[in-house]
Amino acid sequence: MATGVRDRRAAERMEVLGKAAATMLGRLANLSRQLEPRHSGSAEELERMPWKDKQLSKAVECMKVRFPEYPSLEGVGETKSDELRKKPCATQVCTQLEAWYLCLDDTAVLREDVKALLMELADDLDALPARVADFAPLTAAYLDLFRLHVQITLLLSQIPDKEVLVCFYTYCYQYATDLPVGKFERLSRLLHSVGTSQDSAFAYLRQEVTEKGPTAQVSLAEFVPKLILGVNASGAAGGQGDAGGVLAQYQRYQTLCEEEAVMGVGSLLGSSKEGEEQVQLPSGRQIVAGQMVGEGTVMLLPHVSRMGEWLVFGLLVLPNLIGMEHSRMQTFALLQSVARMAASIECAGLRVHIHSELYKLFHDKDFISDYERRLDKGGFKDAKKIFKDAVDWFLASAASSHRRRRGFLQRRLEASLHVLSDCPGLFGPQWFAVVGLLAIARDEVVWAFRHRDLPPTPDNIKVYKKRYDDGEPLAATLAPSV
């Protein structure tokens, strides 16, 4: 009974924190836009911020040098700095910055709660299923929370002037209220660790996942591979007949997404393809591409894009997954899947260049030395070649592959529309097939708009030797159908 109560409470906490984290992601994106005049158009308002005042230049420099220590302006000697100690001026500054500061402070509190829950569940391996072949809701909620945790950290790193904002608010708050700001160190330490770039944020996350709590036995770096690669708690890989982790599920659904027979109304009725009747069992399931497909399969099609994001953020935060899969399974399926998936992923003002981050990873001395220590120099060269080949495949074949998929999705959308118009009663029994078809079509529209052209890459990162041309206005025919 105690175990059931503990699991139920953990699930409830994951649901609450997951919704709070998604909301916080939107708040941080809005804050980033407001503090970036090129995006928000609020240049005039930002010029009135205290750190933009030229008469406070010495105070700003002093706060930056002393950060993350508690802000102090002793010895600055600026007349305008002395005015900040007066209650009316201090109150005015706090009023200007209050909403922004509270957003950052709420983020620090939420990250602590999310991290604590992730570590708690990672330590208690029995709280999650040993395998995720059945795509357990608890596993999905855990990985969604992990993804949001990573996204919040990355988005936090790209907010400009966040350090001086916190320092000015904290410094003026004590003179406006005669009270010090509580728990300033928690927020300042987080901002200092996250830094001002995605590189520093990823470095912080990679160090953070190796930490263990006071009583913890397992870190996130040891537990997350169990979910992604389907690795046992002991570290052994599953057998050939094991469905494995999220990676195996993602690969399976990518294969099914290429099968027109799986898509749309009729997919659960044994539709035909190129004049060949699909094999259908008495249970209503059918055999497609050597796999059994039924209602339980098509109802998970809307989650394929989520699985892809779990793999991306899992690999970028835990790069040792590449060597782990290589040494235990003699494959590079995770690296290939992530590199072939997309050039970048975006959400709420955050863009992560997948290929650029992997490129930097394969040129990181610590990663190279650790990989060669675990395997050998030949093993690292094999992994690097797989990455280059995957990028080459993406440049040469991704556009045509998605164009082909858009083609049969359009056919299935039209066919489903005609069938449901003639027989509305099929909406009930074919509901999951319809939702699955619309979800895959949505994902294709998003992919097409994001890849109308390859995104610009950071300086000194040469990933793309050539650029591709899709040769048609992407999503032009699919978007109206969706």
Side-chain angles (χ1 to χ4, degrees):
M1 179 65 69
T3 301
V5 172
R6 185 177 68 243
D7 291 348
R8 185 170 63 252
R9 291 178 60 189
E12 292 170 354
R13 288 164 60 194
M14 274 199 294
E15 183 177 2
V16 172
L17 289 177
K19 292 180 179 178
T23 302
M24 185 59 66
L25 201 61
R27 290 178 63 188
L28 287 176
N30 186 52
L31 174 59
S32 180
R33 286 191 294 268
Q34 289 177 333
L35 292 178
E36 178 52 69
R38 292 176 302 174
H39 299 157
S40 65
S42 57
E44 294 182 0
E45 181 181 353
L46 289 179
E47 288 300 322
R48 295 193 293 269
M49 293 298 107
W51 59 85
K52 297 291 185 179
D53 192 336
K54 295 181 180 179
Q55 299 180 23
L56 290 173
S57 58
K58 292 184 179 180
V60 173
E61 187 63 27
C62 178
M63 289 180 177
K64 289 182 178 179
V65 171
R66 294 180 178 177
F67 190 81
E69 298 179 2
Y70 200 87
S72 172
L73 298 181
E74 294 182 6
V76 172
E78 285 181 324
T79 303
K80 194 69 175 289
S81 300
D82 295 335
E83 293 182 5
L84 293 176
R85 299 187 180 94
K86 299 178 181 179
K87 190 168 185 176
C89 183
T91 302
Q92 180 182 0
V93 172
C94 287
T95 303
Q96 280 182 303
L97 308 181
E98 185 175 69
W100 294 343
Y101 175 85
L102 291 178
C103 178
L104 295 173
D105 188 62
D106 290 345
T107 301
V109 175
L110 179 64
R111 278 193 88 262
E112 283 191 352
D113 293 341
V114 170
K115 179 183 175 182
L117 179 59
L118 290 174
M119 295 179 68
E120 176 186 328
L121 292 176
D123 191 50
D124 188 3
L125 297 181
D126 292 334
L128 291 172
R131 293 294 181 197
V132 291
D134 56 350
F135 198 70
L138 192 57
T139 301
Y142 185 95
L143 289 173
D144 269 335
L145 195 60
F146 177 78
R147 171 183 56 84
L148 289 168
H149 180 74
V150 175
Q151 289 175 328
I152 286 175
T153 306
L154 294 175
L155 190 54
L156 190 62
S157 69
Q158 69 182 40
I159 297 177
D161 299 323
K162 54 183 177 291
E163 296 87 355
V164 290
L165 186 158
V166 170
C167 287
F168 267 101
Y169 181 87
T170 302
Y171 182 78
C172 293
Y173 183 89
Q174 59 190 342
Y175 295 105
T177 63
D178 298 323
L179 294 171
V181 173
K183 298 183 179 180
F184 167 80
E185 292 184 357
R186 174 187 59 197
L187 177 55
S188 64
R189 189 168 56 249
L190 171 62
L191 298 182
H192 182 68
S193 300
V194 168
T196 57
S197 67
Q198 288 191 6
D199 291 344
S200 59
F202 272 123
Y204 173 60
L205 285 166
R206 289 163 187 166
Q207 181 273 329
E208 187 180 45
V209 295
T210 62
E211 298 175 358
K212 296 181 181 179
T215 60
Q217 301 296 322
V218 178
S219 66
L220 294 180
E222 296 170 320
F223 177 66
V224 173
K226 171 191 175 185
L227 304 180
I228 294 181
L229 296 179
V231 176
N232 293 324
S234 61
Q240 293 294 327
D242 201 326
V246 171
L247 174 61
Q249 292 294 306
Y250 177 79
Q251 290 179 302
R252 176 175 184 254
Y253 279 95
Q254 285 298 303
T255 301
L256 293 177
C257 286
E258 297 295 335
E259 295 293 332
E260 187 170 348
V262 182
M263 296 297 166
V265 174
S267 62
L268 300 180
L269 300 177
S271 60
S272 61
K273 176 184 178 183
E274 297 181 359
E276 295 183 8
E277 185 176 354
Q278 300 295 315
V279 178
Q280 185 177 20
L281 303 179
S283 62
R285 299 179 179 180
Q286 57 179 313
I287 305 299
V288 178
Q291 302 187 56
M292 186 174 293
V293 177
E295 186 177 275
T297 298
V298 296
M299 69 184 297
L300 296 181
L301 288 173
H303 305 292
V304 174
S305 60
R306 288 171 64 198
M307 292 189 230
E309 291 184 353
W310 299 341
L311 297 182
V312 170
F313 289 113
L315 178 59
L316 295 181
V317 175
L318 296 167
N320 64 316
L321 286 171
I322 301 174
M324 189 180 300
E325 183 189 4
H326 184 188
S327 62
R328 294 172 180 168
M329 305 176 185
Q330 305 302 312
T331 60
F332 295 99
L334 177 59
L335 178 59
Q336 289 177 315
S337 296
V338 170
R340 292 183 174 189
M341 185 185 307
S344 64
I345 56 176
E346 304 174 33
C347 75
L350 173 68
R351 168 178 278 187
V352 178
H353 297 270
I354 300 175
H355 295 159
S356 296
E357 293 301 329
L358 289 174
Y359 178 90
K360 287 183 279 188
L361 188 65
F362 277 99
H363 289 78
D364 181 80
K365 294 181 179 179
D366 293 335
F367 175 75
I368 295 174
S369 61
D370 181 68
Y371 201 106
E372 292 179 347
R373 179 179 57 82
R374 290 174 178 269
L375 290 97
D376 51 42
K377 291 184 178 181
F380 175 77
K381 290 181 180 179
D382 292 340
K384 191 173 183 179
K385 184 178 183 302
I386 290 293
F387 166 61
K388 291 182 178 180
D389 292 343
V391 173
D392 289 340
W393 179 93
F394 178 86
L395 293 172
S397 305
S400 59
S401 175
H402 283 271
R403 187 187 307 117
R404 183 174 59 254
R405 185 182 295 185
R406 291 196 300 272
F408 78 69
L409 282 173
Q410 184 177 5
R411 290 193 297 271
R412 296 302 292 169
L413 282 167
E414 293 174 350
S416 298
L417 177 62
H418 293 319
V419 171
L420 293 175
S421 297
D422 295 338
C423 304
L426 285 177
F427 253 118
Q430 293 291 300
W431 174 252
F432 292 116
V434 174
V435 172
L437 173 63
L438 293 176
I440 298 300
R442 173 206 61 197
D443 294 343
E444 283 301 310
V445 170
V446 172
W447 190 97
F449 276 110
R450 287 179 180 174
H451 293 81
R452 295 179 72 90
D453 192 15
L454 289 176
T457 57
D459 295 337
N460 301 323
I461 303 298
K462 298 179 180 179
V463 179
Y464 306 126
K465 296 181 180 179
K466 57 183 178 179
R467 302 174 75 81
Y468 66 84
D469 179 15
D470 200 353
E472 63 174 290
L474 300 184
T477 58
L478 205 61
S481 301
V482 176

